[in-house]
Amino acid sequence: MSHAGLITSLTSMVGSPGVLTDESILPYSTDWRGRYSGKALAVVLPSDTGQVAEVVKRCAAEHVSIVPQGGNTSLCGGSVPLPKGEQIILNLSHMNRIRSIDAVNFSMTVEAGCKLANVREAAEEHNRFFPLGLTATQKVCEIGGNLSTNAGGINVLRYGNARDLVLGLEVVLPDGRIWNGLRGLRKDNSGYDLKHLFIGAEGTLGIITAAVLKLYPRPQSNATACVAISDPDVAVQLLAHVRANCGDTLSSFEIISRSCLDLVFRHIPNTVEPFGKQYEYYLLIQVGDVLPGELDKALLVALQSFGPGVLELSVTADADHAESWWKLRKNISEAQKREGVSIKHDISVPVSRVAEFIARADSALQIAFPGIRIVAFGHMGDGNVHYNVSMPDAGVNKAFIAQQEGAVNKLIYAVVHELNGSISAEHGLGQLKRDTIRDYKDPLELELMRKIKQTLDPHGLMNPGKVI
Amino acid sequence: MSHAGLITSLTSMVGSPGVLTDESILPYSTDWRGRYSGKALAVVLPSDTGQVAEVVKRCAAEHVSIVPQGGNTSLCGGSVPLPKGEQIILNLSHMNRIRSIDAVNFSMTVEAGCKLANVREAAEEHNRFFPLGLTATQKVCEIGGNLSTNAGGINVLRYGNARDLVLGLEVVLPDGRIWNGLRGLRKDNSGYDLKHLFIGAEGTLGIITAAVLKLYPRPQSNATACVAISDPDVAVQLLAHVRANCGDTLSSFEIISRSCLDLVFRHIPNTVEPFGKQYEYYLLIQVGDVLPGELDKALLVALQSFGPGVLELSVTADADHAESWWKLRKNISEAQKREGVSIKHDISVPVSRVAEFIARADSALQIAFPGIRIVAFGHMGDGNVHYNVSMPDAGVNKAFIAQQEGAVNKLIYAVVHELNGSISAEHGLGQLKRDTIRDYKDPLELELMRKIKQTLDPHGLMNPGKVI
């Protein structure tokens, strides 16, 4: 079926530089990890909300489905088209205005196509802080995508997920009408909270075109600790201890297994062991405060009062020193990539059960697949572990992954499920986990999700084949 | 139409002490302010979630609608039946167990009928803090109602509304099925976020029977300031200044107009002027921190560095001294009640526009109704003003309210609407504002709300006549 008329019509709406149909489509059709590659009729790049609405209306009239796209950094195939070549990619990147900043209200109104890094910078120019922090992608990813996937990152412990940073939304609905919910209110109990439906829906219920974001006071003093421990169980107890003692100043509590560091030292130049000795697990702990104060001393006191279990520790208020530790954490994904493919997981369990998860998953995997290499790290403070496995021998690893990925997933997800956890903590479902989630989520919850999808998008035009 | 069979059947489900049909129904049928009085077939008090589900199924089979009820402290008629006498009040008060506390996960699982004060105490017993604070009602109101109405209160500036304090929910749906969403996860991106649909829906989409709540570290040091200012505009600027300087330690920023204090001194014993002189407006500012530190000094420094506009100020770290100021704030509602009836508003605007709201509303009211008394106070830090008006002469006040309430509301809501605010900040819509909201909310948003209601409660059995 030809859609030449549709393309002509969309071009007349957004102008010809805003419609791509030749090979320039390719980068928009392939996902961040190079795992999903789809085909699209065209990429359309509207420059304002009115144009988005027009494009959606026109596509709806022709029953052509739409893949909303921001920076295309989805890790689960959520932002690329399906293979059939019958979809339009609606990319929001040209809508990148900071519409306004209200420093007194601690809020800013931004368009979906603003890069996360630009949002953070704009806030800083007004002496405010936007806390969403995605170290690997924030120069590329866009705020519309961050909200559509309810992004997590390194500051969730203190500031919450992307969802928690939103006061209001502007959304183009599947029929092309515009819902203007751009309210900058801290309290509003005047009906159902619609914004939370669209946040985290991965573009399957409508297209987020703009948002009112919460801003925070800028932390002025920081301190960072690197702590060596023998066992994740110590980390669980230490987290509760530090939180109770350092309170809301605690913004990051990351865990790194020895296997992560080995890969980083092998592949990333200018990285060094934090301590003279090697240990099984490391923690990176960061505190920050608006009030001036000797936070490094407070953090040191908290860590030293913990008792046995801490094998070695170092605390610094020096940003460069802290960055040398953070460099290890931030390069784990890159080091893994250079080492070869692996089976990746983004799971969460209650914070109190992270150690139990790691112990049970490690043990089950070692029994089922002797010699398997487990690279475990992540946002311990949020109960969110990135738990990636591969065979250390590159010669057998590819075949192992091809043959055993399903079995490995099943084994790990079973542990997650028993601990009342989630098989997708911060990355979302996308295409990757759309089928798998049906095995783990309460059928009643899936039914409610389907009913909501049917209600808001009865013709299934918004990002079909993703989530639900 | 007789429902004798239904009552018999419900009694067999929950036992006879759990079904009230005689005059003992009365306190359940009349609202907190004595403004709404309905009639019910019966009050049913189930003792567990299974019983709630059975009761709902049975009522659904007979097309009898249900009014979910907690502590019955709604200020807008949300928790009492309609006058026709054909509804069942499903009161959750017998479901008052703290199911579990996970201090390491900073979470607790509670049943809907737990009193808010008991939830807070249980958290404290585990050295944790549950921040929802409703000074007037927390010994009476129940957590299920707090969540169903997305309660606000005095700690929203720092910790958010009730909505922000929830990790998971258990809900009995309008057809009697139980959705178990009791997950204690900080990150979970595995589908649409259903819990936010039920939170703040005032029982119109289902019945919240239990919840997993977020806990926080307990603040160990506190300081409170009382500040006299000439004008709400100073308050707006001072709030931004204190937030930027004291950061997340700032938990309350309340404004009180002179008229409030006059009423408090007239009606509440043992209350005293904060300062030797009288001023037009007062602020109560509270900071708290887990870290030990001289917060009173930090707050004093922040206030003193503000510049002109602050007329007099006092800061204390002494809890009794602070309580003498809070006593003034907490007794405003009671003092108003003793003074006589008034037209009450619970509005919100962006924090940066609170002064503009007060100035414009004051001026419009004084022109339309010369001599009118305006009692303005509230959660300045959340842009939430309780703005209550009456005629100071008791002889004419009753007639004034009877004749002019609609005109007064219209005038005030017009200002709110122009400032992109909400006519219900924290109390909800209930019966009181169900019709009015249609004049101010985007018809598209109302349409989406109706569609969601229709999807989840197609037979309209959940709290009809409220919200939508």
Side-chain angles (χ1 to χ4, degrees):
Chain A
M1 180 180 174
S2 158
H3 289 283
L6 174 65
I7 304 300
T8 308
S9 161
L10 297 180
T11 307
S12 75
M13 288 170 186
V14 304
S16 57
V19 178
L20 313 177
T21 51
D22 52 16
E23 72 278 3
S24 58
I25 286 187
L26 281 178
Y28 299 87
S29 314
T30 303
D31 83 323
W32 184 251
R33 288 173 65 190
R35 185 170 173 149
Y36 291 96
S37 201
K39 262 176 73 185
L41 290 171
V43 177
V44 182
L45 297 115
S47 53
D48 61 39
T49 305
Q51 287 187 1
V52 175
E54 288 305 303
V55 169
V56 171
K57 267 183 201 158
R58 190 73 180 80
C59 288
E62 291 214 18
H63 301 289
V64 168
S65 64
I66 290 173
V67 183
Q69 187 179 74
N72 196 18
T73 58
S74 169
L75 294 174
C76 46
S79 55
V80 292
L82 300 176
K84 284 190 176 174
E86 294 172 353
Q87 303 186 295
I88 291 286
I89 297 174
L90 198 155
N91 185 292
L92 282 294
S93 302
H94 286 188
M95 285 185 60
N96 58 1
R97 282 166 294 246
I98 307 280
R99 289 194 191 162
S100 63
I101 297 189
D102 183 345
V104 171
N105 194 44
F106 282 75
S107 68
M108 67 197 291
T109 305
V110 302
E111 292 185 343
C114 290
K115 305 240 178 282
L116 174 55
N118 294 348
V119 171
R120 290 169 56 102
E121 275 164 28
E124 275 172 30
E125 282 166 17
H126 289 74
N127 196 30
R128 297 291 180 261
F129 179 57
F130 182 64
L132 186 63
L134 306 173
T135 50
T137 56
Q138 69 194 25
K139 289 183 181 163
V140 184
C141 65
E142 297 172 8
I143 191 71
N146 299 148
L147 302 185
S148 293
T149 57
N150 184 29
I154 57 164
N155 287 321
V156 173
L157 177 55
R158 178 166 180 178
Y159 297 99
N161 296 284
R163 177 185 302 287
D164 303 301
L165 305 174
V166 179
L167 293 173
L169 284 186
E170 178 186 83
V171 177
V172 173
L173 299 175
D175 60 10
R177 289 187 295 172
I178 300 166
W179 171 50
N180 181 347
L182 288 175
R183 292 185 283 265
L185 305 175
R186 303 281 156 175
K187 284 182 177 168
D188 179 17
N189 278 339
S190 62
Y192 303 155
D193 194 315
L194 300 177
K195 66 177 181 295
H196 283 300
L197 268 181
F198 298 103
I199 298 169
E202 303 186 35
T204 61
L205 299 177
I207 301 170
I208 295 174
T209 49
V212 185
L213 304 175
K214 283 186 201 170
L215 301 178
Y216 286 83
R218 274 178 85 180
Q220 304 293 339
S221 49
N222 289 287
T224 308
C226 185
V227 180
I229 54 170
S230 54
D231 192 290
D233 198 46
V234 173
V236 170
Q237 302 302 325
L238 186 61
L239 169 60
H241 177 77
V242 172
R243 242 198 124 184
N245 283 281
C246 293
D248 297 334
T249 62
L250 181 62
S251 58
S252 296
F253 196 103
E254 302 279 314
I255 191 166
I256 304 169
S257 70
R258 180 72 227 165
S259 53
C260 301
L261 289 197
D262 289 340
L263 290 180
V264 169
F265 297 139
R266 187 178 309 156
H267 295 288
I268 310 293
N270 304 316
T271 49
V272 289
E273 289 277 356
F275 302 113
K277 256 181 85 175
Q278 295 191 356
Y279 298 97
E280 272 310 293
Y281 283 94
Y282 297 81
L283 302 172
L284 268 187
I285 305 171
Q286 187 162 309
V287 292
D289 205 342
V290 167
L291 287 173
E294 293 175 322
L295 274 183
D296 49 342
K297 286 193 186 154
L299 181 54
L300 190 64
V301 167
L303 292 171
Q304 285 176 334
S305 65
F306 175 68
V310 168
L311 304 177
E312 194 164 348
L313 73 90
S314 173
V315 176
T316 186
D318 178 71
D320 291 336
H321 191 180
E323 193 49 37
S324 73
W325 294 332
W326 275 108
K327 189 176 180 185
L328 306 177
R329 167 67 184 84
K330 291 175 184 173
N331 277 293
I332 296 172
S333 292
E334 182 59 29
Q336 279 182 102
K337 211 173 179 178
R338 297 192 192 175
E339 178 77 5
V341 284
S342 61
I343 307 173
K344 290 170 184 283
H345 301 94
D346 162 45
I347 67 91
S348 65
V349 293
V351 174
S352 49
R353 308 194 81 172
V354 169
E356 192 179 348
F357 165 74
I358 293 178
R360 286 174 61 175
D362 280 8
S363 152
L365 281 173
Q366 292 294 357
I367 290 169
F369 308 104
I372 196 167
R373 177 169 58 200
I374 298 165
V375 173
F377 65 101
H379 315 296
M380 170 90 205
D382 316 318
N384 177 196
V385 183
H386 297 306
Y387 191 87
N388 304 335
V389 302
S390 58
M391 281 297 174
D393 179 345
V396 303
N397 186 42
K398 267 205 162 162
F400 167 73
I401 289 179
Q403 288 157 24
Q404 301 294 351
E405 180 160 12
V408 166
N409 290 347
K410 218 166 181 172
L411 197 153
I412 292 171
Y413 291 160
V415 180
V416 170
H417 194 61
E418 282 166 30
L419 298 177
N420 206 6
S422 169
I423 67 164
S424 181
E426 59 177 6
H427 296 166
L429 299 176
Q431 298 181 58
L432 181 66
K433 294 179 186 168
R434 182 192 180 218
D435 292 329
T436 313
I437 193 65
R438 295 174 196 171
D439 297 333
Y440 298 99
K441 214 182 243 305
D442 178 356
L444 178 55
E445 191 165 340
L446 289 167
E447 180 190 319
L448 291 172
M449 284 171 58
R450 274 192 298 271
K451 279 185 173 167
I452 287 164
K453 170 74 174 173
Q454 174 67 25
T455 300
L456 294 182
D457 182 22
H459 306 296
L461 297 176
M462 285 290 139
N463 217 5
K466 321 289 167 63
V467 183
I468 186 115
Chain B
M1 181 182 175
S2 158
H3 289 282
L6 174 65
I7 304 300
T8 308
S9 159
L10 297 179
T11 307
S12 75
M13 287 169 186
V14 304
S16 57
V19 179
L20 312 177
T21 51
D22 53 16
E23 72 279 2
S24 59
I25 286 187
L26 282 178
Y28 299 88
S29 313
T30 304
D31 83 321
W32 184 252
R33 287 174 65 190
R35 186 170 172 147
Y36 292 96
S37 201
K39 263 177 73 186
L41 290 171
V43 177
V44 181
L45 297 116
S47 52
D48 61 39
T49 305
Q51 287 187 1
V52 175
E54 288 304 305
V55 169
V56 172
K57 267 183 200 159
R58 189 71 181 80
C59 289
E62 290 213 18
H63 301 290
V64 168
S65 64
I66 290 173
V67 182
Q69 188 180 75
N72 196 19
T73 58
S74 169
L75 294 174
C76 46
S79 54
V80 292
L82 301 176
K84 285 190 176 175
E86 293 170 355
Q87 304 186 296
I88 290 287
I89 297 173
L90 198 156
N91 184 293
L92 281 296
S93 302
H94 286 187
M95 285 184 60
N96 58 2
R97 282 167 292 246
I98 307 281
R99 288 194 190 161
S100 63
I101 297 189
D102 182 345
V104 171
N105 194 46
F106 282 75
S107 68
M108 68 196 292
T109 305
V110 302
E111 291 185 344
C114 290
K115 303 240 177 283
L116 174 56
N118 293 348
V119 170
R120 290 170 56 103
E121 275 164 30
E124 275 172 29
E125 282 165 17
H126 289 75
N127 196 30
R128 296 291 180 261
F129 179 57
F130 182 64
L132 185 64
L134 305 174
T135 50
T137 56
Q138 66 194 26
K139 288 183 179 163
V140 184
C141 65
E142 297 173 7
I143 191 70
N146 299 149
L147 301 184
S148 293
T149 57
N150 185 28
I154 57 166
N155 287 320
V156 172
L157 177 55
R158 178 165 179 179
Y159 296 99
N161 295 285
R163 175 185 304 287
D164 302 301
L165 305 174
V166 179
L167 293 173
L169 284 187
E170 178 186 83
V171 177
V172 172
L173 300 175
D175 60 10
R177 290 187 294 172
I178 301 167
W179 171 50
N180 181 348
L182 288 176
R183 293 185 282 266
L185 305 175
R186 303 282 157 173
K187 285 182 177 168
D188 178 17
N189 278 340
S190 61
Y192 304 155
D193 194 314
L194 300 177
K195 66 178 181 294
H196 283 299
L197 268 182
F198 298 103
I199 299 169
E202 303 185 35
T204 62
L205 299 177
I207 301 170
I208 295 174
T209 48
V212 185
L213 305 175
K214 283 185 199 169
L215 301 179
Y216 287 82
R218 275 178 83 178
Q220 303 292 339
S221 49
N222 289 287
T224 308
C226 186
V227 180
I229 55 170
S230 54
D231 192 291
D233 198 48
V234 173
V236 170
Q237 302 302 326
L238 186 61
L239 169 59
H241 177 78
V242 172
R243 240 197 126 184
N245 283 281
C246 293
D248 299 333
T249 61
L250 181 61
S251 57
S252 296
F253 196 103
E254 303 279 315
I255 190 166
I256 304 169
S257 70
R258 181 72 228 166
S259 54
C260 301
L261 290 197
D262 289 341
L263 290 181
V264 169
F265 297 138
R266 187 178 309 157
H267 295 290
I268 310 293
N270 304 316
T271 50
V272 289
E273 289 278 356
F275 302 113
K277 256 181 84 174
Q278 294 191 357
Y279 297 97
E280 273 309 295
Y281 284 94
Y282 296 82
L283 302 171
L284 269 187
I285 305 171
Q286 187 163 309
V287 293
D289 204 342
V290 167
L291 287 173
E294 292 174 326
L295 275 182
D296 50 342
K297 287 194 186 154
L299 181 55
L300 190 64
V301 167
L303 292 170
Q304 285 175 336
S305 65
F306 175 67
V310 168
L311 304 177
E312 193 164 348
L313 72 89
S314 174
V315 175
T316 186
D318 177 72
D320 290 336
H321 190 180
E323 193 49 37
S324 74
W325 294 332
W326 276 107
K327 190 177 179 185
L328 306 177
R329 167 68 183 87
K330 290 175 185 173
N331 277 294
I332 296 172
S333 293
E334 182 59 28
Q336 279 182 103
K337 211 174 182 177
R338 295 192 193 175
E339 178 77 6
V341 283
S342 61
I343 308 173
K344 289 168 184 284
H345 302 94
D346 162 45
I347 67 91
S348 66
V349 293
V351 174
S352 49
R353 308 194 81 173
V354 168
E356 191 179 348
F357 164 75
I358 293 178
R360 287 174 61 174
D362 280 7
S363 153
L365 281 173
Q366 292 295 359
I367 290 168
F369 308 104
I372 197 169
R373 178 170 57 200
I374 298 164
V375 173
F377 65 100
H379 316 294
M380 171 88 206
D382 316 318
N384 177 195
V385 183
H386 297 307
Y387 190 87
N388 305 334
V389 303
S390 58
M391 281 298 172
D393 179 344
V396 303
N397 186 44
K398 267 204 163 162
F400 167 74
I401 289 180
Q403 289 158 24
Q404 301 294 351
E405 181 161 10
V408 167
N409 290 348
K410 218 164 181 174
L411 198 154
I412 292 172
Y413 291 161
V415 180
V416 171
H417 194 61
E418 282 166 31
L419 298 177
N420 205 6
S422 170
I423 66 165
S424 182
E426 58 176 7
H427 295 166
L429 298 175
Q431 299 180 58
L432 181 66
K433 295 179 186 166
R434 182 194 180 217
D435 292 329
T436 312
I437 193 65
R438 294 175 197 169
D439 297 333
Y440 298 99
K441 214 180 244 305
D442 180 356
L444 178 55
E445 190 165 341
L446 289 168
E447 179 189 321
L448 291 173
M449 284 171 58
R450 274 192 297 271
K451 279 185 174 168
I452 286 163
K453 171 73 175 174
Q454 174 67 23
T455 301
L456 293 182
D457 182 21
H459 306 297
L461 297 176
M462 286 291 141
N463 217 7
K466 321 290 167 63
V467 183
I468 187 118

